Amino acid sequence: MNQFASGPVLLTGGSGFIGSHVRRLLQSRGTPVRVLAHHADADSDEVVWGNLADPASLRGICAGVTTVVHTASVINGSEEACRTVNERGTAALVAEARRAGVRRLVYVSTAAVYGDGVHQGIAENAVAPAPVSPTSRSRLMAESSVLAAGGTVLRPMFVYGAGDRWFVPAVAELARRLSARLAGGRARLSLISVHALAEAVCAVAQLPTARLEGATLHAAHPAPTTLAEILDVLVEEALVPTLADEIGYEQAVAELGQGMSRRLGLLGFDHYYDSARLWQAVDVSAGPGFLETYPHCAQWYREVISAALPKPASGPHAVHRPGPVR
């Protein structure tokens, strides 16, 4: 049926980085939003209590909604924690949505499901997904449940903006620890502002249900951003020191250890994706790129990154290490 999924929305992850922006945008447009919550600080038109780690608690949560927007994920957890929430929790949520006759299901996944390698402007599934982390493996399995139900999957890579504690802070931390530009900063990366991603999620959620059924879409700004462009901004903001030297990937791994190889690989080599299909399908644009958008979230990053710096008055301390980029 060619119906618009414009009625009440059930939103998971409504207090998280991406989900909170989606929630505010939907509410600003007068869309009734029901937030799935398992703690007491949720704020919405309506809260429904449940936990993706407990499928029985999800029973009935989709009654009366036309759309489910699923942004909740365990990002930095053990294999079992990720499978419990991301894989099995998503499967249980999808089952509830199907039981309730939900017309539109949108899941925010990650382009990190493609795994390692140099990715240069590839289209959706132009290379076979080969996830290497518990987060990405379980999110790929979550995608399978959503797609089997006719839902739509969005795959952003690096998301930035107010609320980001993982991407730009991780870039700053690596730059400080290496005191050099990783691979000269030449890597081209797929970025999207959290505001643009929220716009895209809401647009997909409110498309006619016959469109994008069972589709997987990259979600990124059409023009990749180089690591050097990000580093230049951070240097200008005095959040990292001037970086006159460059360091290769292998040497960086040798200095920081194998535990950092995944993060160094993601930032040291090209990882950008063709997102034309998304922007052609929705009536919104990706907006300006990172350099134009950064000033709007500069204060957020000043506070978050500065708070992670060592405190000289308290003696030597290890630099705070934010969670993995993906």
Side-chain angles (χ1 to χ4, degrees):
M1 291 189 299
N2 190 28
Q3 302 181 61
F4 283 86
S6 56
V9 172
L10 173 72
L11 174 66
T12 75
S15 60
F17 173 39
I18 295 170
S20 62
H21 285 264
V22 172
R23 171 176 53 82
R24 286 192 290 270
L25 189 56
L26 287 170
Q27 291 174 334
S28 73
R29 296 172 177 175
T31 302
V33 181
R34 180 187 303 174
V35 173
L36 176 66
H38 64 276
H39 48 72
D41 62 352
D43 175 23
S44 178
D45 298 350
E46 183 181 353
V47 172
V48 58
W49 302 103
N51 191 333
L52 289 168
D54 177 13
S57 72
L58 305 181
R59 192 72 180 184
I61 62 169
C62 294
V65 303
T66 60
T67 306
V68 171
V69 176
H70 182 24
T71 72
S73 292
V74 170
I75 299 298
N76 183 25
S78 66
E79 190 84 40
E80 183 56 27
C82 288
R83 291 194 64 192
T84 295
V85 173
N86 300 347
E87 180 181 344
R88 293 191 286 267
T90 298
L93 177 66
V94 169
E96 284 300 316
R98 298 182 82 165
R99 256 192 293 272
V102 168
R103 297 200 303 266
R104 170 69 78 189
L105 177 59
V106 183
Y107 175 50
V108 180
S109 182
T110 172
V113 297
Y114 293 112
D116 294 331
V118 175
H119 300 146
Q120 299 174 321
I122 64 172
E124 291 83 358
N125 293 318
V127 299
V132 298
S133 70
T135 297
S136 298
R137 282 193 292 270
S138 58
R139 292 175 90 176
L140 183 63
M141 294 304 297
E143 289 186 10
S144 298
S145 296
V146 172
L147 295 172
T152 305
V153 170
L154 299 184
R155 286 177 180 166
M157 187 60 183
F158 301 117
V159 185
Y160 69 92
D164 167 31
R165 296 180 181 274
W166 299 275
F167 174 56
V168 174
V171 173
E173 182 217 355
L174 284 177
R176 290 196 305 268
R177 295 179 67 186
L178 293 171
S179 298
R181 291 173 182 261
L182 177 62
R186 290 179 289 273
R188 292 167 291 179
L189 309 173
S190 268
L191 272 58
I192 187 169
S193 73
V194 69
H195 176 74
L197 180 56
E199 289 273 10
V201 169
C202 293
V204 170
Q206 296 179 319
L207 281 174
T209 54
R211 294 179 60 188
L212 300 183
E213 184 175 334
T216 300
L217 304 165
H218 293 155
H221 193 276
T225 301
T226 65
L227 179 62
E229 289 173 311
I230 302 170
L231 292 173
D232 286 345
V233 168
L234 296 176
V235 169
E236 185 176 346
E237 291 276 299
L239 294 173
V240 300
T242 300
L243 304 170
D245 300 324
E246 66 176 81
I247 186 171
Y249 168 77
E250 296 293 345
Q251 184 181 349
V253 172
E255 288 193 11
L256 300 185
Q258 280 295 327
M260 298 295 287
S261 62
R262 170 68 171 155
R263 189 188 301 185
L264 290 166
L266 287 174
L267 296 176
F269 300 105
D270 286 345
H271 284 91
Y272 66 97
Y273 305 89
D274 182 355
S275 59
R277 191 178 174 203
L278 169 64
W279 304 117
Q280 290 166 1
V282 297
D283 191 25
V284 297
S285 76
F290 176 79
L291 295 180
E292 295 80 13
T293 307
Y294 181 86
H296 299 291
C297 49
Q299 186 59 36
W300 166 264
Y301 286 122
R302 290 187 199 108
E303 294 174 0
V304 170
I305 296 174
S306 297
L309 293 171
K311 307 300 187 292
S314 302
H317 293 280
V319 174
H320 170 70
R321 301 181 180 181
V325 172
R326 273 285 186 252

